[in-house]
Amino acid sequence: MKVSRDHPRYRSLVMREAMSEMVKNGIVAPTGLIAHGRGEAFDYLLGEETSDNARRAERAAVALLLEARNPVISVNGNTAALAGKEIIALSKLIKAKVEVNLFHRSPERIEKVVAFMESLGAKGVLGRHADTTIPGIASDRALCSKEGIYSADVVLIPLEDGDRAEALAKFGKKVIAIDLNPLSRTTRAAQISIVDELTRAISNMIAMWPELSREEAIRRKVLSDFDNQRNLKSSLELICDRLTELAEEGKP
Ligand code: PTJ
């Protein structure tokens, strides 16, 4: 479908078209479109821009990833489709491994998503040969690679379901979530919860890398100043304030 550039929601419509194409080629799961729609709804409530608290969480995330011994970025279908290239760029900067881990897992889909990331230029993508499991997850989602998620100290999980986020945290991983829903179990389980849209979050994190990679003292300060609970509360307050403002505007 051709989307007119003049349409007020041009970007959103283009993304939707791209996501539905990605369903056709098997990268995005059909229910990935529902997850995308939920994300759009929360983004609408958040004003479709990066808030100050999202920026704080993104800075803390970059600092933590740079301090990590074995950081891993977990990639699912939606993440590959929306921000595959940017994820690869970030992984190179912070020297993180990339591992494909799917909720709707099948050998064919794992192969497709890994091959898709490789077609975008990723090297050494993990996930094809899952050789162990994360304890506490009933589904195939527990499957992972020993050299990747299993032995990681820090795992970045964009657009995740709550079960795995909780299991990773219980297993001792420092979890960084990117999720527009400040109420989700994923956001609540994570040590650093970035309540921002994935593509904005990753490009902000790439832009934050030069300063944070240079200065260890700044990284330490960013991490010690960061309070995830306070930050999450601010995201909820932001939504409440926006709704109040909109309700006021709508008054006769
Ligand atoms: O590719 P698979 O098989 O691994 O499946 C991936 C999905 C996303 C379908 C699966 O992990 C899933 O069902 O996730 P949930 O439980 O729907 O959670 C996705 C979360 O991501 C929701 O809280 C959405 O609000 C949020 N979200 C959706 N799009 C974005 C987003 N957050 C940030 N940026 C987005 N673009």
Side-chain angles (χ1 to χ4, degrees):
M1 192 186 106
K2 179 111 180 66
V3 181
S4 159
R5 282 192 172 270
D6 300 333
H7 194 287
R9 302 206 55 77
Y10 172 76
R11 190 178 140 76
S12 158
L13 293 179
V14 169
M15 296 294 259
R16 286 181 183 188
E17 283 299 313
M19 290 297 275
S20 84
E21 284 304 311
M22 288 286 184
V23 171
K24 286 183 202 148
N25 65 22
I27 303 295
V28 172
T31 57
L33 294 182
I34 300 172
H36 184 74
R38 186 194 283 176
E40 277 196 333
F42 275 103
D43 205 20
Y44 196 82
L45 295 176
L46 285 158
E48 295 178 320
E49 60 185 15
T50 301
S51 64
D52 289 345
N53 32 295
R55 205 171 292 282
R56 264 194 299 277
E58 285 156 6
R59 263 172 82 75
V62 176
L64 187 62
L65 286 161
L66 284 166
E67 291 288 308
R69 179 184 37 79
N70 184 17
V72 175
I73 305 179
S74 181
V75 169
N76 61 21
N78 285 48
T79 302
L82 288 168
K85 269 195 185 147
E86 295 74 10
I87 292 278
I88 296 166
L90 179 67
S91 74
K92 284 185 183 155
L93 293 175
I94 56 173
K95 300 189 176 40
K97 292 171 187 157
V98 170
E99 179 165 342
V100 171
N101 177 281
L102 302 178
F103 183 66
H104 304 282
R105 188 188 176 98
S106 68
E108 296 74 31
R109 229 182 125 229
I110 286 277
E111 177 53 37
K112 275 188 179 162
V113 180
V114 172
F116 178 69
M117 292 300 287
E118 288 170 344
S119 76
L120 298 177
K123 301 256 183 304
V125 180
L126 300 168
R128 269 194 186 105
H129 309 292
D131 49 6
T132 188
T133 52
I134 296 288
I137 308 173
S139 67
D140 278 354
R141 194 126 215 224
L143 291 164
C144 66
S145 120
K146 260 187 207 146
E147 62 169 303
I149 290 170
Y150 189 84
S151 58
D153 50 347
V154 178
V155 190
L156 171 63
I157 51 166
L159 280 80
E160 184 81 23
D161 70 286
D163 284 355
R164 198 171 75 116
E166 285 174 355
L168 285 169
K170 267 200 199 129
F171 194 43
K173 309 295 174 198
K174 289 183 179 158
V175 173
I176 302 168
I178 302 178
D179 188 335
L180 280 158
N181 178 0
L183 298 165
S184 73
R185 276 189 302 140
T186 303
T187 325
R188 306 217 155 245
Q191 181 140 348
I192 298 178
S193 311
I194 300 171
V195 180
D196 199 3
E197 198 280 321
L198 172 68
T199 60
R200 284 200 307 266
I202 301 291
S203 58
N204 290 340
M205 288 166 76
I206 289 173
M208 288 165 185
W209 175 82
E211 183 205 1
L212 290 166
S213 67
R214 260 192 322 266
E215 299 277 352
E216 187 182 337
I218 297 183
R219 290 201 292 276
R220 296 275 156 91
K221 171 131 180 58
V222 165
L223 286 171
S224 65
D225 287 352
F226 183 71
D227 178 338
N228 202 42
Q229 290 317 313
R230 196 174 59 205
N231 222 44
L232 272 179
K233 194 165 168 271
S234 310
S235 292
L236 279 172
E237 283 164 0
L238 197 69
I239 291 180
C240 294
D241 292 348
R242 247 185 82 74
L243 285 172
T244 309
E245 258 171 49
L246 291 171
E248 292 292 322
E249 275 171 24
K251 273 189 186 162

